Amino acid sequence: MHTEPFVDDEDDGEDPGERRGYAEHLTEPPLPYIEPQPTAPLLEPEDDYVGAPQPRDEEEYVAQAPEPVIRRGTLDLGLLILRVVVGVTFTLHGLQKLTGWLNGPGPDGFAQFLANKPNPGIGFHDNATTALSLVAGVSETAGGILLILGLLTPIAGAAVLSSILVAGTYKATLAGGLWFFSADGGGNGLELEIVLAAAAAALILTGPGTYSFDRRWGWSRRPAWGSAAWFIVGVGVAVAVWIVFNGTNPLDSPGNPTS
């Protein structure tokens, strides 16, 4: 290919050599074609690099995951009814022991009942009956009110559970045998005590539900090991109180003399 030298018709006073060099520059052949090469991958950040994202462990991931929406239906309403009925029952029994209201024995009368004058050998120790009377009354009254409110439910449930377990054991000891229905054994059946103990245990293990003062805490809807621990505490306290302050085997008790 032959190119003619570039000639400018207008003479602007420039040197002819400069104009020729400019023309040759415009007609230079193009640069050679270069095959594009793949770009090198970016270097992965080292593990000890401060800005490198660190993988989260499974527990952290689960803890930060959003809480799934669980449709509870009428579950919370059922727990509310159960709490109120059980709480009112224990509250009234506790007030009978503390104040003597509602034809109750009062603290002195209940202390005498614990001493069991007809047969002191199967009653509670004399030096502990007054304290046990007050503890039982406070546990049932305070625990019942807290259950109604749904406040500190695992603790309240453990308190009333301990009280009703001791009451049922003492009832069987005084009767000299085990009966289920209330009318059996001269009215010494354990029907009511068993139902109340089971209801208290159920409230500890299921939680009070959304309609409660505990609704912001996990144990109100999804109780776990903490609630199970309070259930064990409730049973353990009842066993300890019975062994330390009475010690009678309720399955081998002679019972009170019948008239």
Side-chain angles (χ1 to χ4, degrees):
M1 178 177 177
H2 178 71
T3 57
E4 296 294 337
F6 178 79
V7 179
D8 191 359
D9 294 339
E10 298 181 359
D11 187 5
D12 53 1
E14 293 182 358
D15 182 63
E18 294 180 358
R19 293 200 301 269
R20 180 178 297 276
Y22 178 72
E24 290 177 355
H25 172 71
L26 294 176
T27 58
E28 286 181 357
L31 295 175
Y33 176 74
I34 300 177
E35 183 72 20
Q37 300 296 326
T39 58
L42 297 176
L43 297 177
E44 295 292 336
E46 298 181 359
D47 293 339
D48 56 353
Y49 176 59
V50 177
Q54 300 297 327
R56 297 182 299 177
D57 55 13
E58 183 177 357
E59 294 182 358
E60 181 182 358
Y61 177 80
V62 173
Q64 296 180 359
E67 183 178 356
V69 178
I70 301 176
R71 301 184 182 277
R72 296 174 61 85
T74 59
L75 176 61
D76 296 306
L77 180 60
L79 289 173
L80 174 63
I81 295 173
L82 179 62
R83 278 189 3 246
V84 171
V85 172
V86 175
V88 168
T89 302
F90 276 107
T91 301
L92 295 180
H93 278 280
L95 290 175
Q96 282 185 316
K97 296 177 178 65
L98 289 178
T99 64
W101 295 350
L102 306 172
N103 298 322
D108 294 334
F110 189 65
Q112 294 177 5
F113 170 73
L114 294 177
N116 191 38
K117 288 185 176 181
N119 187 358
I122 59 175
F124 288 85
H125 302 331
D126 290 336
N127 57 353
T129 54
T130 300
L132 290 176
S133 175
L134 294 175
V135 170
V138 171
S139 298
E140 293 181 358
T141 303
I145 293 174
L146 291 176
L147 285 180
I148 296 172
L149 299 176
L151 179 62
L152 301 176
T153 306
I155 302 175
V160 298
L161 177 61
S162 298
S163 179
I164 199 64
L165 288 177
V166 173
T169 305
Y170 190 47
K171 189 175 184 178
T173 300
L174 298 182
L178 295 175
W179 289 273
F180 177 75
F181 295 106
S182 299
D184 293 343
N188 291 310
L190 300 177
E191 184 177 6
L192 176 62
E193 287 77 11
I194 292 174
V195 172
L196 289 177
L203 287 174
I204 297 173
L205 299 177
T206 61
T210 304
Y211 306 136
S212 65
F213 282 88
D214 284 339
R215 60 183 176 273
R216 68 178 63 184
W217 304 109
W219 66 67
S220 64
R221 298 180 304 277
R222 294 182 301 174
W225 295 111
S227 296
W230 279 108
F231 169 77
I232 296 174
V233 168
V235 175
V237 169
V239 173
V241 168
W242 183 261
I243 293 176
V244 172
F245 298 109
N246 191 299
T248 305
N249 182 0
L251 301 179
D252 191 26
S253 171
N256 283 338
T258 57
S259 56

